[in-house]
């Protein structure tokens, strides 16, 4: 029976994506309300507040306006607090999503390979065992206890536990690991000390070689800027995704092809969302780090997405150098078309588009309209003309059936 790891991983990505998007929208609204509060307070101050001539810090206000003053002052203070507190709560949720994903992933692996539990130190007395209707219920109980123990550990201890339990070497890049540890430790500050730096925070960060600012000292309160949250999101995404890939391939080698497909699909989505740095890291992981990609074609798909990430991230020469390191002779026209597009060889691309034709299972009509691969060439009139010759259809106008198909595929 196939595992649910693909579904779990994509659900994890969707959840942290929702946090990134929601925080951006939420902060726009909070800023809007805060600006409105500032305007209201300033207007009230101009019309109803006077300052004592002898003591400029002392304000004078009419008695019948005092309640309105309190109302506006509270509103201004609360929106100011929201600007600080809301991003912190989103960061706490971000780390919580990682924890939930790790728990679900480990549980799925235990269920797929229950023999891994054979060395568990969990023991049940005869009376406890007799409370379960069957051995499966007892095993479920032990799994839940193991995961509960795992999630009570520090995040560095969690990774060590996973590494030992599944007999796999886990060595994240030093920068990624340092970013991840700092994010999780900052989360702990928000939960336990109102964001104020503690000895524990500094000690753990130094132990894991986190590059912390020299002005950070015990008692200073940390915040979450939009830039910081984005950086935290990238660290959580990258480590969570790579960890799931490594475990999936080790414990369930029969599903490696499915794991390969996930790398291609996830990197494709990242390209569409213009998260080029993350798309590059995911594809680099597939092409250079993993040693058990099932097919050379899938590895080349990853290489194409990796080169696109470079190209759209302002590194066109590196992109071409990467894609041209491969020998493409003898490969399908669909892949040759991708190579031509990456190299900005548009005339060759138009020729290959016609050779690929309208019946390709890899590059369809909707692919030409929406794939990140065709982002630049899609601006060319000849590209649209070639499309219309191939499909005998308008490039710009989608039929109702095509719209429904695209939405269903999405």
């Amino acid at each position: 029976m196939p595992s649910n790891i693909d579904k779990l991983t994509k659900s994890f990505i969707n959840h942290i994506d929702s946090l990134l998007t929601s925080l951006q929208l939420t902060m726009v609204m909070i800023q809007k309300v805060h600006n409105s509060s500032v305007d209201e307070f300033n207007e009230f101050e101009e019309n109803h507040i006077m300052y004592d001539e002898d003591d400029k810090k002392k304000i004078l206000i009419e008695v019948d306006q005092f309640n309105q003053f309190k109302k506006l002052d509270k509103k201004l203070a609360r929106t100011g607090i929201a600007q600080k507190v809301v991003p912190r709560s989103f960061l706490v949720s971000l780390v919580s999503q990682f924890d939930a994903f790790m728990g679900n992933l480990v549980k799925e692996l235990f269920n797929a390979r229950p023999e891994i539990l054979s060395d568990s130190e969990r023991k049940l007395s005869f009376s406890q065992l007799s409370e379960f209707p069957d051995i499966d219920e007892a095993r479920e109980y032990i799994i839940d206890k193991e995961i509960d123990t795992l999630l009570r550990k520090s995040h560095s201890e969690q990774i060590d536990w996973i590494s030992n339990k599944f007999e796999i070497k886990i060595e994240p890049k030093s920068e990624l690991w340092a970013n991840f540890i700092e994010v999780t430790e900052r989360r702990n500050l928000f939960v336990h000390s109102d964001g104020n730096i503690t000895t524990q925070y500094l000690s753990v960060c130094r132990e894991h070689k986190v590059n912390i600012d020299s002005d950070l000292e015990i008692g200073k309160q940390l915040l979450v800027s939009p830039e910081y949250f984005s950086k935290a999101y990238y660290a959580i995404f990258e480590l969570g995704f790579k960890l799931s890939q490594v475990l999936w391939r080790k414990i369930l080698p029969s599903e490696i092809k499915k794991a390969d497909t996930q790398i291609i699909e996830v990197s494709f989505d990242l390209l569409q969302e213009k998260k080029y740095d993350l798309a590059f890291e995911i594809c680099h992981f597939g092409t250079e780090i993993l040693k058990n990609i099932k097919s050379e074609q899938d590895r080349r798909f990853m290489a194409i997405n990796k080169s696109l990430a470079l190209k759209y991230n302002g590194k066109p020469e590196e992109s071409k150098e990467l894609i041209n390191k491969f020998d493409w002779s003898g490969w399908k026209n669909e892949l040759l078309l991708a190579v031509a597009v990456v190299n900005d060889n548009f005339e060759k691309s138009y020729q290959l588009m016609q050779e690929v034709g309208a019946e390709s299972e890899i590059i369809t009509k909707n692919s030409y309209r929406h794939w990140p691969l065709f982002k630049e060439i899609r601006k060319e009139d000849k590209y649209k003309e070639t499309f219309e010759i191939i499909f005998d259809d308008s490039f710009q106008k989608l039929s109702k059936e095509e719209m429904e198909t695209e939405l269903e595929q999405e």
Side-chain angles (χ1 to χ4, degrees):
M1 184 176 181
S3 74
N4 290 316
I5 296 177
D6 183 51
K7 182 179 178 181
L8 288 174
T9 305
K10 289 178 178 176
S11 176
F12 162 68
I13 292 172
N14 285 334
H15 278 72
I16 63 173
D17 279 350
S18 73
L19 290 174
L20 181 65
T21 303
S22 298
L23 179 60
Q24 292 167 345
L25 295 173
T26 301
M27 294 312 294
V28 167
M29 293 304 300
I30 291 175
Q31 185 63 53
K32 185 175 181 180
V33 173
H34 182 71
N35 292 342
S36 174
S37 300
V38 170
D39 292 340
E40 288 181 79
F41 188 88
N42 288 341
E43 182 181 356
F44 181 87
E45 181 181 36
E46 184 178 340
N47 295 325
H48 301 289
I49 294 179
M50 295 176 292
Y51 290 89
D52 189 285
E53 293 183 0
D54 298 325
D55 184 357
K56 296 299 182 181
K57 294 182 180 179
K58 185 177 181 181
I59 66 172
L60 304 173
I61 186 171
E62 298 171 12
V63 173
D64 60 350
Q65 294 295 330
F66 184 64
N67 284 338
Q68 179 65 6
F69 169 77
K70 287 198 302 181
K71 178 182 175 182
L72 294 175
D73 188 54
K74 280 184 178 181
K75 183 179 178 182
L76 183 60
R78 286 169 179 169
T79 56
I81 291 171
Q83 289 179 311
K84 179 180 73 172
V85 171
V86 169
R88 296 190 342 183
S89 66
F90 272 78
L91 187 78
V92 172
S93 295
L94 184 66
V95 177
S96 296
Q97 288 300 323
F98 178 87
D99 291 340
F101 176 51
M102 284 299 103
N104 290 332
L105 178 61
V106 168
K107 185 171 186 176
E108 186 69 18
L109 294 171
F110 278 152
N111 285 327
R113 293 278 303 279
E115 66 272 17
I116 296 174
L117 282 171
S118 60
D119 64 344
S120 172
E121 296 178 358
R122 302 282 167 192
K123 291 182 173 60
L124 297 177
S125 66
F126 181 79
S127 60
Q128 286 176 312
L129 192 60
S130 64
E131 294 176 3
F132 298 101
D134 53 47
I135 193 64
D136 289 337
E137 288 281 348
R139 185 176 64 202
E140 187 76 11
Y141 173 82
I142 291 176
I143 289 175
D144 288 343
K145 286 295 183 182
E146 288 279 354
I147 292 172
D148 182 63
T149 299
L150 167 65
L151 296 181
R152 290 179 184 275
K153 297 177 180 291
S154 71
H155 286 88
S156 61
E157 290 172 335
Q158 286 179 24
I159 300 303
D160 289 340
W161 184 95
I162 290 171
S163 179
N164 292 329
K165 181 64 69 174
F166 296 102
E167 298 179 346
I168 193 165
K169 196 172 184 179
I170 300 173
E171 292 183 322
K173 293 184 309 178
S174 57
E175 183 180 359
L176 170 61
W177 181 246
N179 288 340
F180 173 76
I181 289 296
E182 197 284 326
V183 168
T184 56
E185 288 302 311
R186 189 175 296 215
R187 172 263 179 199
N188 292 341
L189 293 183
F190 293 143
V191 172
H192 301 297
S193 66
D194 194 31
N196 296 315
I197 294 176
T198 62
T199 304
Q200 172 78 3
Y201 170 85
L202 294 175
S203 174
V204 173
C205 286
R206 286 170 183 149
E207 178 187 349
H208 294 279
K209 297 180 173 56
V210 177
N211 184 21
I212 55 178
D213 294 337
S214 58
D215 64 339
L216 292 187
E217 56 187 23
I218 295 173
K220 182 173 181 177
Q221 191 173 63
L222 296 178
L223 302 174
V224 177
S225 66
E227 295 77 19
Y228 178 85
F229 189 86
S230 179
K231 181 180 177 181
Y233 160 86
Y234 270 59
I236 295 292
F237 187 120
E238 187 179 345
L239 187 66
F241 182 82
K242 289 180 176 180
L243 195 54
S244 71
Q245 278 280 327
V246 170
L247 289 168
W248 192 4
R249 292 165 182 277
K250 169 68 185 294
I251 305 305
L252 295 168
S254 62
E255 296 188 11
I256 285 179
K257 171 63 178 173
K258 196 172 182 180
D260 294 344
T261 301
Q262 186 187 83
I263 293 176
I264 298 169
E265 291 176 348
V266 169
S267 61
F268 176 89
D269 290 341
L270 291 168
L271 288 171
Q272 284 195 312
E273 295 165 11
K274 300 181 180 180
K275 297 172 182 173
Y276 301 128
D277 288 335
L278 201 46
F280 176 87
E281 288 297 337
I282 296 305
C283 292
H284 180 78
F285 182 67
T287 58
E288 305 299 328
I289 308 302
L290 296 174
K291 305 302 181 185
N292 55 356
I293 300 298
K294 198 73 172 178
S295 74
E296 179 60 22
Q297 177 171 286
D298 283 346
R299 188 182 293 278
R300 288 176 182 242
F301 280 136
M302 295 174 200
I304 290 168
N305 284 352
K306 182 179 174 182
S307 65
L308 289 173
L310 286 170
K311 180 176 182 177
Y312 298 145
N313 211 15
K315 300 175 182 176
E317 295 309 314
E318 290 182 41
S319 170
K320 292 175 184 177
E321 182 181 353
L322 168 65
I323 205 69
N324 293 326
K325 284 196 301 187
F326 290 84
D327 178 6
W328 294 98
S329 56
W331 285 88
K332 294 180 179 179
N333 283 331
E334 287 89 343
L335 275 79
L336 299 180
L337 171 57
V339 173
V341 173
V342 171
N343 283 308
D344 296 322
N345 190 343
F346 289 176
E347 290 304 318
K348 180 69 172 177
S349 299
Y350 303 141
Q351 175 192 332
L352 286 165
M353 284 172 66
Q354 296 192 62
E355 292 180 16
V356 168
E359 304 302 323
S360 172
E361 294 181 357
I362 297 176
I363 302 180
T364 66
K365 185 189 294 188
N366 290 335
S367 305
Y368 286 113
R369 284 181 171 133
H370 304 297
W371 272 14
L373 171 65
F374 303 111
K375 175 184 173 183
E376 297 299 331
I377 194 174
R378 204 157 32 227
K379 300 172 185 176
E380 303 293 319
D381 290 337
K382 190 169 180 180
Y383 175 81
K384 298 168 187 174
E385 292 168 6
T386 306
F387 172 94
E388 292 176 354
I389 291 171
I390 295 169
F391 294 102
D392 191 25
D393 194 8
S394 169
F395 178 82
Q396 300 289 359
K397 297 178 181 178
L398 277 71
S399 67
K400 181 181 178 183
E401 291 76 14
E402 286 174 330
M403 290 177 63
E404 290 174 348
T405 299
E406 283 199 37
L407 289 171
E408 183 178 344
Q409 289 175 343
E410 190 69 26

